[in-house]
Amino acid sequence: MNVEKPASPAPSRVMSGHRPTGRLHLGHLLGTLNTWVELSKTAETFFEVADLHAFTTAFDQPQQIRDAREDLILDWLAAGIDPARSTIFLQSAVPEITELHALLSMIVPVSWLQRVPTYKDQIEALGPEIATYGFLGYPLLQLCDIAVFRADLVPAGKDQLSHLELGREAVRRFNHLYGPALVEPQALLSEFPAVPGTDGRKMSKSYHNTIDIADDEATTTKKVRSYVTDPRKVRRNDPGRPEICPVFALHHSSNAARVPAIREACASGALGCVACKSELAETLNAMLRPARERRASIDRARVDQILRDGSAKAREVANATMRDVRRAMKLID
Ligand code: TRP
């Protein structure tokens, strides 16, 4: 008998997003955006401008949130996200997400949300006044971003794992109570090592130690010159310890072929930090040039159009899920 091969497993539907809070940097590009671009070649991808999530901590800055939208999308397009392939949308323009959030809020215990570690950590970092109802619900809203598209794969950083775990529990509870209308998402963890910033700490906007995608080449060179290096390598010919030097770490991403030679020359004292940084600045600028040229060439009016089209497409998918959700909860017949 001729049996047809079982269909290969359905390709993943991928969902991820960023809050519009400022320009993206090299850490985002190497750790996240490159993965998004790769995934978009084989999977259906949804990328969200999470403006409502930005309101959870910056509710008094609506204009900043509005203004950051454009930069975020320009950075995504610069990195190679292609709106013809990926659905790029605005969270607040897909009201099905907030509807799902309201419905799921009925079945998610407050204690589940209070025990998500970022809740306490962020209140400690930013003060008790950020502890709004919406802020407590942040991880549930994030789940709704994902679940409304029935996405099964979420590329995310380690810091997002506790949110995804809460989200999976919420989906399990929904499916148990009302029937299997929602899909439990899996995290896809980035394996890329943390990218060091100019002060040697993890590159982060809040540390003011970033090299931004949108920086020009002179700014990049200046920032590379300001990097901390091995404090024991005081003079040019002192032997250095490349394994603790953030400049050496960065050579891996833009100048991989030269890493063994640089390691040796630094350790022996043959290579000084000034020359090492010049080489890094050159290779980083070369690596970033295509993204920067793409960014500069994008007509800003196009950004609005991309978001409008993407949000309309996102709503179609979200609507199909919500019909099943409303039916499962017997809100409609
Ligand atoms: N919380 C994420 C962050 O701060 C942003 C985000 C919002 C997100 N919704 C999402 C990420 C859904 C993945 C999936 O980076």
Side-chain angles (χ1 to χ4, degrees):
M1 199 170 62
N2 216 342
V3 182
E4 263 198 4
K5 270 212 194 135
S8 52
S12 288
R13 190 178 266 175
V14 172
M15 193 274 150
S16 198
H18 279 133
R19 283 168 298 159
T21 55
R23 292 181 165 183
L24 301 184
H25 52 67
L26 193 60
H28 294 115
L29 182 67
L30 299 173
T32 310
L33 295 176
N34 286 348
T35 310
W36 289 11
V37 171
E38 272 316 299
L39 287 167
S40 73
K41 292 176 184 164
T42 54
E44 204 181 343
T45 41
F46 290 81
F47 298 125
E48 174 188 88
V49 178
D51 58 343
L52 298 177
H53 274 118
F55 270 92
T56 62
T57 51
F59 52 80
D60 56 347
Q61 294 161 34
Q63 192 62 50
Q64 277 93 322
I65 295 173
R66 173 63 189 86
D67 292 343
R69 192 193 284 178
E70 184 173 88
D71 262 327
L72 181 56
I73 292 174
L74 287 173
D75 282 336
W76 287 356
L77 299 177
I81 308 281
D82 176 357
R85 235 191 245 176
S86 301
T87 304
I88 298 174
F89 70 98
L90 183 66
Q91 186 179 29
S92 63
V94 182
E96 290 76 10
I97 293 168
T98 40
E99 181 189 355
L100 184 59
H101 187 234
L103 296 179
L104 290 182
S105 76
M106 305 304 166
I107 65 165
V108 172
V110 172
S111 61
W112 288 11
L113 292 162
Q114 284 169 327
R115 113 186 151 217
V116 174
T118 44
Y119 179 67
K120 265 201 239 111
D121 293 351
Q122 290 277 87
I123 289 172
E124 247 162 57
L126 303 173
E129 60 280 3
I130 64 150
T132 60
Y133 177 46
F135 180 69
L136 177 66
Y138 187 116
L140 184 61
L141 182 59
Q142 184 166 348
L143 178 270
C144 294
D145 296 336
I146 302 161
V148 88
F149 304 111
R150 292 199 260 239
D152 52 4
L153 204 59
V154 181
K158 264 207 224 90
D159 56 328
Q160 301 295 309
L161 279 185
S162 62
H163 295 179
L164 284 169
E165 201 39 60
L166 174 285
R168 288 158 58 85
E169 279 184 85
V171 167
R172 285 200 286 273
R173 181 167 246 201
F174 181 97
N175 288 344
H176 173 73
L177 285 167
Y178 309 121
L182 298 177
V183 171
E184 256 185 70
Q186 288 281 348
L188 179 68
L189 268 189
S190 166
E191 275 165 27
F192 202 87
V195 175
T198 52
D199 57 0
R201 293 187 288 175
K202 179 182 167 180
M203 191 177 284
S204 163
K205 183 172 131 72
S206 50
Y207 295 155
H208 305 287
N209 65 359
T210 64
I211 291 173
D212 295 341
I213 297 173
D215 281 342
D216 60 32
E217 298 200 357
T219 305
T220 304
T221 302
K222 212 167 98 200
K223 288 179 174 177
V224 170
R225 275 197 209 117
S226 77
Y227 257 84
V228 297
T229 54
D230 179 0
R232 280 204 223 145
K233 186 167 165 70
V234 181
R235 294 190 205 148
R236 183 194 171 290
N237 292 111
D238 289 344
R241 293 170 295 171
E243 64 286 355
I244 64 149
C245 179
V247 173
F248 180 69
L250 278 181
H251 275 292
H252 286 86
S253 48
S254 61
N255 196 19
R258 284 264 302 142
V259 160
I262 292 170
R263 179 188 288 119
E264 206 187 297
C266 170
S268 73
L271 177 66
C273 294
V274 173
C276 181
K277 286 175 170 179
S278 297
E279 182 172 340
L280 177 65
E282 251 173 59
T283 58
L284 270 183
N285 277 329
M287 179 180 78
L288 288 166
R289 207 165 290 139
R292 287 169 169 167
E293 284 173 0
R294 212 175 292 136
R295 200 182 194 283
S297 74
I298 296 161
D299 172 8
R300 286 166 184 249
R302 234 188 102 212
V303 171
D304 277 343
Q305 194 57 46
I306 287 169
L307 259 193
R308 257 198 306 276
D309 294 349
S311 301
K313 218 173 118 202
R315 284 199 76 178
E316 277 177 36
V317 178
N319 245 311
T321 308
M322 287 314 292
R323 261 197 303 277
D324 291 347
V325 165
R326 294 182 204 113
R327 221 174 265 137
M329 292 179 77
K330 312 243 177 267
L331 299 170
I332 55 168
D333 295 324

